[in-house]
Amino acid sequence: MTQRVFNFSAGPAVLPLEVLQHAQEDLLALPGVGSSILEISHRGETFKEILDAAEANLRQLLGIPDNYRIVFLQGGSRLQFSMIPMNLLNGKSADYITTGSWGEKAFQEARREGPVRLAWDGKSSNYNCVPTNDELDLDAEALYVYFTSNETIQGVQFSKEPQTGSVPLVCDASSDFLSRPVDIARYGLLYACAQKNAGPAGVTVVIIRDDLVPEPDEKMAGMLSYQNHIKNKSCFNTPPTFGVYIVKLVTEWLIHTVGGLEKMHALNRQKANLLYSAIDTSDGFYTSHAKLDCRSLMNVTFQLSNADLTPQFIEQAKERDLCNLKGHRSVGGIRASIYNAMPREGVERLAEFMDAFRSANR
Ligand SMILES: *Cc1c(COP(=O)(O)O)cnc(C)c1O
């Protein structure tokens, strides 16, 4: 087999080896079908079973109540930035909490669709924290409160949902979906593109409470209507069949190999702690971008006190098969994305390298 490296890419990102092997084995022909997932109709029984299994696995893992619909869409999270306000606003207003670049982009798109407000904005501190509930400026009449549970670029994560009274939460969970248990009943809508933690690029999972699904709207384009996708069970047009298939395998891996989201969360906490303790015991050689109480378990962002050493850090890490560690240009430094599928061994190797690099360069 070609040598696999430890891939710390922010997305598309590492997938479980077991999932890739399973997909590889079945790539010439699904058992009993004689054709591969890439070659069969989305209208046939085989694909329907795959889609139903992916949905059932998600319901089981997240404990999704019966009054929520699940659809598998295309267009990535970016399309959700527009579809959400298009479908839900109906001339009224919504509140946005922006704790990083993705929330900011979602807010800018929503402004095209209706009179949305900022309930809190972390831009002035370059998005290194999340608000307390007291800091939120909420409108009790808002149709929803939007937030990003994990900001992938800044490495800032909510450890608990913001409190919004009776106003439903809408969440971009793209980069921490399936990394921990979530109480879906607190949400009006939760969505995630798959390419961070749940599968390949090309499929986006949207979970929506059924009373929020708008009535059919003659003027709305069919592809943009939740109602339409729900009515057609994600098959209004050809869905991303391969992506849905991989989501099915990833969710099977979470259920059977990992043992559920509580276990996944514990593993993710252990992995993140290895890196944060390498930062915290470095005597200031490394500094975390995110404040202590909102450090992400998925994207660990940090700077070297001597920024001139950053390219060497990245180069020497790569020589040890620790790849794709360069931080996003808006934050600089290093970003280690350690999603569900990053093995603990990769994180241990990175923590060891961080210590060794510090000793050699202090
Ligand atoms: C990656 C990411 C996006 C953008 O996803 P696309 O599928 O490229 O549109 C949006 N939000 C978050 C939190 C992300 O991590």
Side-chain angles (χ1 to χ4, degrees), residues 29 40 44 77 85 138 171 183 230 236 258 293 298:
I40 58 172
S77 290
L138 296 174
C171 179
D183 182 6
I230 292 167
F236 170 59
V258 177
D293 60 350
M298 297 281 103

Side-chain angles (χ1 to χ4, degrees), residues 75-79 81 102 148 150 152 172 174-175 193 195-196:
S77 290
R78 286 267 195 165
L79 184 57
F81 294 177
W102 291 117
T148 310
N150 182 66
T152 322
D172 175 358
S174 295
S175 53
C193 56
Q195 71 268 23
K196 314 295 166 64

